[in-house]
Amino acid sequence: MVQASVYWFGLGAVALVVAGIATVIAGALRGRLRSPLYNVPALFSTIAGLGYGVMALVELGLVPAFIDDPQVLLAVPQYVSWLLTAALITYYLGMLANADMESRLAGVGASVLMVVAGFVAVLTGSPVKWGAFVLSVAFFVGVLYIFLRTYNQSMVENSTGSRGLFETLRDLTVSLWLLYPVVFVLGPFGIGVLASVDYHFLNVFLDIASRGGFVGVILMRQYELRTFLPEDVSASPN
Amino acid sequence: MSQASGIKRGHRRKLGLGALVIVALVVVAAINTYARTVGSLDPEAQSELLSGLATIVIAVVATVFLIIAVTGRETVMALTILSERAREREEGDAAVDVDTEGREMGELYESYEAVRNALQERIRESEDKSEQLRAAASDYSDTMELVGQGDLSQRLDEDVEDPVMAQLAGDFNDMMDQLEAAIADLYAFTEDVSQASQLLAQQTAQSMEASMRIREVAQDITEDGQMAETFQQFEQFEDLDIDLQHPDEIEDGELGIELDETVGSIEDLSDRMDRIDEISEFISDVANETNMLALNAGIEASKVDDDSAEGFQVVADEVKSLAEETEDSANEIESSTEDIRSGTREALESVLRQQAELLSTLSEQVEDLSDSSEDLQQTLSRLHLSQERDPEADAESEPNRPAAE
């Protein structure tokens, strides 16, 4: 019998890959496919979708189990996906905020360490688990600081419209990322309130909402993208 | 912008409050469901129920966060972007793009674009009207400049679209009609004054001539041996229609009548000066009305937009300038009239003084002539009596006359 998690993974894979494809099509229609404003969202959405595709395959037993614990085995593609997508989202927000490269890399580093620490918490048992979790939360706080202060201060010279788009994506990311630690604590790697299938359902749900929603906002307001970078303004098709 | 920020803050506050209520209701419902059913379930089912309820709560919270982050901001963003576009429009960039591109607030953007197009149309109409007003004001300025140079036949074009300008032109033309009529009357009175002055000069010259002849006659009479010439002078007085045999009737004689006519002419001239005064006052009144016209134009200029105000102000300045010139002209006329009146008064006093001196001289000289005439008659009488008493002496002396001759 196929596990319910497979459906959720399949749903997440389809939704996020479709979101990535839609972004590629939108960028191609506007002749902006080579712009990071389009290809970065397409990339992290597709990566997230592929991650869930891999997880579906793992759940179906189509991928060789190189780790004995099936939950940890599923966590590998999950955290790899999160590692890449969180880094790309952080970089993309820094790009929209017109932040300097140092701030962007700091954000990317914090998000990477946040995911890595979370993955350590998955791999280890108490009390290291909770130490790694606290460390992950600490890096998450650092990411929040970069989002809410560093990137925000870089938006001073931007127009109100472009600033609004950044703030929408930032708020979406911050509010939904706040729930990942909650799910972790309540999930199988935490206190075990959530069953495994519910834990994966919530992760898929949050990924679709945060990654897919992120791409959806960009597609809805892509005309605002041309106000972010001067080269995009001058090259923007009318 | 402050109004848009207020709307945004209020919208976010309502969204946050609604989200909090939804999350609270879901949590309460989950707790209620778990509390009601947990007693009848085995431990495994209790765990699944708790997991399911926690999942639902987290999913609801995630959904609410998503709605708040995306939909809430997206809604107020439309207001924000519209406010930004409006501010850019206010700063003069009429080409601000309001492309909707299928956005949720597309209809609002399309409405905004319609408003923008309507505003652009209004701006074009306003610019056209302003240009027409500027052209009309330029024509008015040229016309008033010609009027200021003395061409009182010039009139402003009342056939303009702007009712205020048309009213201004009508008032100005009425004022010019009155001013032109007043100037024509002034010219006519000036002509009369000129004729009266010529007549006065002519009559004064005749009086002076008569006076000189009388002085010459008086001098001739006082000299001896000039009797024949004296009588010839008397005959010349007859040419002047002066009756010397009746000195008491001199004032009723022709010379007195001519002097009275001269005085009458001077008094008539004074009356005409009074009329000129009245005309000057009338011109001053017209100048005051012109000033009021300029003031009205200035007030109208303050009521309209800047471009139109420029045209009104030009007209107001021209009208004010014309009023000042008219006032100056009226003052000059009044000053000239005062000079003429002063000169006339002096001429009248001079003529009256000459008339009195002439009559006094005539009276004295006529008395002298009367005395001389009596002496002459007595001499002739004595000669006549001596001829009657001694005719023989005359006869004796007659034969000697040839010898004597």
Side-chain angles (χ1 to χ4, degrees), chain A residues 106-117:
Chain A
V108 170
S111 62
V112 168
L113 291 174
M114 172 185 69
V115 176
V116 169

Side-chain angles (χ1 to χ4, degrees), chain A:
Chain A
M1 181 181 176
V2 178
Q3 298 258 349
S5 302
V6 175
Y7 298 111
W8 302 133
F9 294 151
L11 175 64
V14 171
L16 291 169
V17 169
V18 167
I21 293 173
T23 307
V24 170
I25 293 174
L29 289 176
R30 289 182 167 270
R32 310 294 307 161
L33 192 56
R34 301 182 67 176
S35 169
L37 293 172
Y38 281 96
N39 56 40
V40 169
L43 182 62
F44 68 69
S45 181
T46 303
I47 288 174
L50 293 177
Y52 280 117
V54 173
M55 290 172 71
L57 294 177
V58 170
E59 190 74 354
L60 289 172
L62 299 177
V63 176
F66 56 91
I67 297 176
D68 293 337
D69 188 342
Q71 291 297 330
V72 176
L73 185 62
L74 280 175
V76 172
Q78 175 90 80
Y79 276 84
V80 170
S81 168
W82 283 350
L83 182 74
L84 296 175
T85 56
L88 288 173
I89 287 173
T90 303
Y91 181 84
Y92 190 81
L93 285 175
M95 191 170 59
L96 290 185
N98 201 23
D100 54 65
M101 187 56 71
E102 186 178 350
S103 297
R104 296 184 202 178
L105 293 179
V108 170
S111 62
V112 168
L113 291 174
M114 172 185 69
V115 176
V116 169
F119 187 62
V120 171
V122 168
L123 294 177
T124 59
S126 297
V128 178
K129 174 196 295 287
W130 296 112
F133 173 75
V134 171
L135 189 62
S136 178
V137 171
F139 285 123
F140 178 53
V141 172
V143 171
L144 292 181
Y145 179 83
I146 290 173
F147 281 1
L148 297 174
R149 290 296 300 271
T150 307
Y151 285 179
N152 211 44
Q153 290 173 350
S154 302
M155 290 289 294
V156 173
E157 296 181 356
N158 288 39
S159 65
T160 306
S162 58
R163 188 187 182 91
L165 177 57
F166 165 78
E167 289 175 345
T168 297
L169 295 174
R170 181 201 62 192
D171 292 350
L172 172 70
T173 303
V174 169
S175 60
L176 293 176
W177 283 14
L178 282 171
L179 297 177
Y180 282 98
V182 175
V183 172
F184 177 86
V185 170
L186 296 176
F189 301 110
I191 60 177
V193 170
L194 295 176
S196 177
V197 64
D198 292 332
Y199 170 77
H200 292 304
F201 165 76
L202 285 176
N203 282 332
V204 171
F205 187 90
L206 290 175
D207 277 353
I208 291 176
S210 61
R211 276 68 173 175
F214 196 102
V215 171
V217 170
I218 290 175
L219 292 179
M220 282 193 299
R221 298 180 58 181
Q222 55 184 304
Y223 77 100
E224 285 289 346
L225 293 177
R226 57 190 172 193
T227 66
F228 280 92
L229 298 174
E231 59 271 23
D232 281 356
V233 175
S234 59
S236 175
N238 214 342

Side-chain angles (χ1 to χ4, degrees), chain B residues 204-223 229-230 232-244 247 250-251 253-256 258-259 354-369:
Chain B
T204 302
Q206 289 179 355
S207 298
M208 291 298 294
E209 184 181 359
S211 176
M212 291 297 294
R213 288 186 181 181
I214 290 171
R215 287 177 187 277
E216 290 172 2
V217 168
Q219 288 175 356
D220 291 345
I221 289 173
T222 57
E223 294 177 1
E229 191 173 353
T230 298
Q232 290 175 357
Q233 294 292 341
F234 286 163
E235 291 175 0
Q236 289 178 358
F237 275 113
E238 289 177 356
D239 295 338
L240 291 174
D241 297 330
I242 300 174
D243 187 1
L244 298 180
I250 284 177
E251 290 185 358
E254 294 298 329
L255 181 58
E258 289 185 1
L259 290 174
Q354 288 179 3
Q355 184 182 24
E357 291 176 356
L358 179 61
L359 291 175
S360 176
T361 304
L362 281 174
S363 177
E364 292 174 357
Q365 291 178 350
V366 167
E367 286 179 359
D368 292 342
L369 284 173

